Amino acid sequence: MTTQPRIGFACKWIDRPDQVNGIKPKDDAKQYNTGGTTVAWLNRQSRDVAEQKLWDLMVQNIESVNKLVKRVGEQDETLRMVRLSSDILPVYTEPSWSYFWRRADVREYCERHFSRVGNSARESRVRLSFHPGQFTVLASDNPEIVERSVEEFEYHVDMVR
């Protein structure tokens, strides 16, 4: 079986060149892109507010990824590959917030909805890939950096699993 070479899209979807520097709230492309937050913002909120933000981002981001996969699936077959962003589940590996992603309700939601993403990719023949963040350095001399890098890879595996 021969495979056809594919050119893929890297993490973010834009419809026009002017969106390279940012997607406006009313741009149609916004629906295909993930949202985010920071540890600093979460730490300034009550636990309930911060957890609701993480839940809302999880729902929004997984839905955005599913829409992105479907959108890429409408492209010519040579363009049906997309690299998924590392920010789908914000602060997943951050020690002070990683407990959120281990909650049973969160894991169940992720499993159910990430499976829809996989089904969309299979149905549309879209290849998916991940690329760990820029601070992932397995060859570091610093054992703590290596440990955090392994955690980043495990995060990606958890999303795929």
Side-chain angles (χ1 to χ4, degrees), residues 5-159:
R6 297 184 190 205
I7 296 172
F9 297 93
C11 303
K12 301 292 181 189
W13 181 270
I14 61 170
D15 292 316
R16 303 180 315 271
D18 66 298
Q19 293 172 329
V20 167
N21 295 320
I23 298 169
K24 307 278 187 288
K26 294 187 180 195
D27 286 346
D28 187 58
K30 187 160 180 63
Q31 67 179 314
Y32 305 113
N33 293 286
T34 56
T37 190
T38 64
V39 172
W41 186 89
L42 292 169
N43 287 342
R44 287 192 305 268
Q45 311 309 310
S46 69
R47 184 175 172 141
D48 288 344
V49 168
E51 288 181 357
Q52 186 61 52
K53 177 70 169 179
L54 290 175
W55 182 274
D56 293 345
L57 283 167
M58 171 189 66
V59 171
Q60 170 196 330
N61 289 350
I62 295 173
E63 182 59 27
S64 293
V65 168
N66 198 39
K67 288 178 180 180
L68 175 62
V69 168
K70 289 179 178 181
R71 180 77 168 94
V72 170
E74 296 169 354
Q75 305 304 306
D76 182 87
E77 191 165 353
T78 60
L79 299 175
R80 291 188 195 163
M81 181 177 173
V82 66
R83 184 176 80 201
L84 300 180
S85 175
S86 293
D87 66 358
I88 298 170
L89 304 178
V91 301
Y92 190 94
T93 60
E94 168 58 39
S96 59
W97 290 101
S98 61
Y99 75 89
F100 177 82
W101 303 108
R102 291 189 301 270
R103 287 181 11 188
D105 60 330
V106 170
R107 293 192 79 76
E108 189 274 327
Y109 185 93
C110 286
E111 289 171 11
R112 187 171 65 243
H113 290 84
F114 272 126
S115 71
R116 289 178 41 223
V117 173
N119 290 338
S120 295
R122 281 185 288 281
E123 290 167 8
S124 301
R125 296 178 39 104
V126 173
R127 289 185 186 175
L128 303 177
S129 70
F130 283 100
H131 188 284
Q134 63 189 8
F135 301 109
T136 303
V137 185
L138 291 172
S140 174
D141 292 338
N142 183 329
E144 290 177 24
I145 292 174
V146 173
E147 179 65 31
R148 298 282 293 165
S149 297
V150 169
E151 289 171 5
E152 281 295 312
F153 277 103
E154 289 173 346
Y155 158 51
H156 287 89
V157 169
D158 285 347
M159 284 192 288

